[in-house]
């Protein structure tokens, strides 16, 4: 038997069973490919968004989900180019998590990414809450909701605390807003993207208010609370951006306070990154007042927040 095994150029293994009869059997290589870790250069849109995502603390599930959405849309376009079926999927989303966990920031980034990929024509973000959708009389709510959807055409309609639309009971006009949203999610599902956001438990209840809601949100992303190290990381990034720094004592005081406040406050009451931002902004004002009274303005002091500058909401 001469040269029984030969490798064909297409990657298949050719096995020669009999050198005289030359019968061949082809065997496909196993489904194993090494996926490169570096994104190919043609994906400039994803690379740009990844850099912006890298500036966000935590949210690993969300970052992974955005890459998957990008890959799905991109490969679907390649399937279309090859004449294969490429069914368009609705991209409406639900963000579940407590306040200050980055939901609005991520919504803006998604709009930017989808605009670059030609999924959305504009990619802008329209933020809304219950008062922007619910009217005062029959028919008013449907009109207000339609107007908002029209404004969001080509972009994203982001409704925070969406569960509040279902809190008023059967006679409340919030149900009318929900019904109008459901209808337009189907009729105009590729013209805009609806993102509903709110507390995890309340959003689960919200989905039960209309039988068509659950199936219309194929993408559900959880935004977990930040841990202490992540909150300190957020504080550090905010300070660097503003060209401030914490003294050693101030850093310890802030960390001890965050440990205490997370242990004492109800998780729904703690606003995570927003809480840290408020502390930083109040402390900057307190530092300015202290320097004004001391009449001391050297560079180091202008940049340093000291422990007595830190102002907490609970104080």
């Amino acid at each position: 038997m001469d040269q029984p095994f030969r490798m064909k150029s297409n990657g298949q293994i050719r096995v020669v069973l009999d050198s005289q009869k030359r019968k061949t059997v082809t065997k496909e290589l196993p489904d194993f490919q090494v996926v490169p870790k570096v994104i190919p250069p043609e994906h400039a849109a994803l690379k740009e968004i990844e850099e912006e995502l890298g500036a966000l603390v935590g949210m690993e599930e969300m970052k992974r989900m955005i890459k998957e959405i990008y890959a799905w849309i991109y490969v679907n376009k390649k399937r279309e180019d090859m004449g294969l079926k490429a069914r368009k999927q609705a991209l409406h989303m639900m963000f579940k998590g407590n306040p200050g966990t980055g939901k609005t920031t991520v919504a803006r980034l998604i709009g930017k990414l989808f605009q670059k990929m030609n999924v959305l024509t504009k990619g802008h973000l329209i933020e809304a809450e219950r008062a922007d959708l619910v009217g005062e009389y029959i028919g008013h709510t449907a009109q207000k909701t339609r107007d908002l959807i029209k404004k969001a055409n080509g972009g994203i309609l982001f409704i925070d605390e969406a569960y509040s639309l279902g809190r008023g009971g059967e006679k409340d006009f919030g149900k009318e807003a929900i019904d109008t949203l459901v209808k337009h999610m189907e009729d105009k599902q590729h013209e805009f993207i609806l993102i509903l956001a709110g507390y995890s438990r309340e959003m689960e209840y919200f989905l039960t208010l209309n039988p068509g809601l659950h199936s219309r949100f194929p993408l559900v992303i959880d935004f977990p609370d930040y841990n202490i190290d992540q909150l300190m990381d957020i504080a550090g990034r905010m300070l660097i951006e503003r060209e401030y720094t914490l003294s050693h004592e101030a850093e310890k005081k802030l960390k001890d306070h965050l440990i205490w406040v997370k242990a004492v406050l109800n998780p729904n009451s703690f606003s995570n990154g927003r809480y840290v931002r408020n502390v930083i902004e109040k402390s900057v004002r307190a530092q300015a007042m202290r320097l004004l009274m001391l009449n001391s303005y050297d560079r180091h002091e202008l940049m340093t927040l000291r422990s007595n500058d830190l102002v907490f909401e609970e104080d």
Side-chain angles (χ1 to χ4, degrees):
M1 186 171 176
D2 58 325
Q3 297 179 339
F5 297 99
R6 299 174 188 168
M7 180 67 76
K8 294 175 69 177
S9 61
N10 64 2
Q12 294 177 328
I13 297 176
R14 182 181 182 188
V15 183
V16 183
L17 298 177
D18 188 294
S19 60
Q20 293 179 344
K21 294 182 180 180
R22 296 294 182 187
K23 292 181 180 179
T24 63
V25 176
T26 59
K27 181 180 180 182
E28 295 285 352
L29 289 172
D31 291 342
F32 178 79
Q33 292 176 301
V34 177
V35 179
K37 293 183 178 180
V38 179
I39 297 171
E42 64 265 26
H43 303 293
L46 179 59
K47 183 174 176 57
E48 183 179 335
I49 297 299
E50 273 207 314
E51 289 176 358
E52 295 193 46
L53 290 172
L56 303 178
V57 175
M59 296 190 281
E60 299 309 319
E61 179 192 351
M62 178 278 303
K63 293 174 182 177
R64 176 186 58 79
M65 179 78 79
I66 287 181
K67 289 182 185 178
E68 287 183 359
I69 294 169
Y70 175 90
W72 177 81
I73 295 170
Y74 188 85
V75 170
N76 240 15
K77 288 181 178 179
K78 290 297 183 184
R79 287 176 60 86
E80 284 181 348
D81 293 344
M82 294 294 180
L84 296 169
K85 289 182 179 179
R87 180 175 173 269
K88 284 189 175 181
Q89 180 180 332
L91 293 169
H92 303 304
M93 305 180 191
M94 182 171 288
F95 290 176
K96 299 193 297 183
N98 289 326
T101 48
K103 298 186 289 295
T104 307
T105 300
V106 170
R108 286 198 184 94
L109 287 177
I110 288 174
K112 187 175 180 179
L113 174 63
F114 286 176
Q115 190 270 332
K116 289 179 179 295
M117 294 186 71
N118 297 317
V119 174
L120 295 171
T121 55
K122 299 176 183 176
H124 63 298
L125 183 75
I126 299 294
E127 295 183 59
E129 54 187 22
R130 177 187 164 90
D132 299 310
L133 291 99
V134 178
E136 299 174 357
Y137 50 85
I138 295 174
H140 190 205
T141 294
Q143 185 59 50
K144 289 184 74 173
T145 305
R146 285 194 295 268
D147 289 344
L148 268 178
I149 293 171
K150 187 176 181 180
K151 287 180 182 177
N153 191 49
I156 291 175
L157 177 56
F158 180 85
I159 303 177
D160 202 7
E161 298 184 359
Y163 50 82
S164 63
L165 293 173
R167 280 184 168 171
E170 283 297 318
K171 295 182 180 180
D172 184 74
F173 292 133
K175 187 176 184 302
E176 188 179 353
I178 297 171
D179 295 341
T180 306
L181 286 170
V182 169
K183 183 180 187 305
H184 284 79
M185 287 170 70
E186 186 65 31
D187 296 346
K188 300 182 178 182
Q189 62 176 298
H190 303 304
E191 296 177 27
F192 82 107
I193 290 174
L194 176 64
I195 299 180
L196 301 184
Y199 298 121
S200 298
R201 184 180 298 177
E202 283 84 347
M203 292 307 291
E204 288 297 327
Y205 168 73
F206 175 75
L207 288 175
T208 67
L209 299 178
N210 183 296
L213 274 174
H214 201 282
S215 61
R216 283 174 169 80
F217 289 96
L219 301 167
V220 179
I221 303 178
D222 288 302
F223 286 73
D225 288 340
Y226 294 111
N227 60 36
I228 299 300
D229 289 339
Q230 289 172 332
L231 290 170
M232 291 299 294
D233 190 1
I234 290 170
R237 295 182 189 213
M238 288 179 178
L239 290 165
I240 289 172
E241 183 182 354
R242 293 164 171 79
E243 293 191 328
Y244 284 94
T245 185
L246 292 173
S247 69
H248 179 74
E249 292 80 6
E251 184 175 351
K252 183 179 185 305
K253 181 178 178 180
L254 177 59
K255 187 171 186 177
D256 289 345
H257 175 75
L258 291 173
I259 293 171
W260 175 82
V261 80
K262 276 183 67 70
V264 171
L265 285 183
N266 183 303
N268 288 355
S269 302
F270 181 65
S271 58
N272 287 276
R274 195 178 305 158
Y275 182 91
V276 172
R277 185 186 67 220
N278 289 340
V279 168
I280 297 298
E281 289 177 350
K282 288 180 180 179
S283 301
V284 165
R285 294 196 296 270
Q287 182 240 34
M289 191 65 194
R290 175 174 60 82
L291 295 181
L292 184 72
M293 300 303 291
L294 291 173
N295 198 30
S296 173
Y297 309 108
D298 70 82
R299 182 179 177 85
H300 179 70
E301 283 302 315
L302 287 169
M303 294 181 64
T304 304
L305 296 180
R306 303 200 174 276
S307 59
N308 57 329
D309 296 324
L310 294 183
V311 179
F312 304 127
E313 295 178 9
E314 292 72 25
D315 289 348

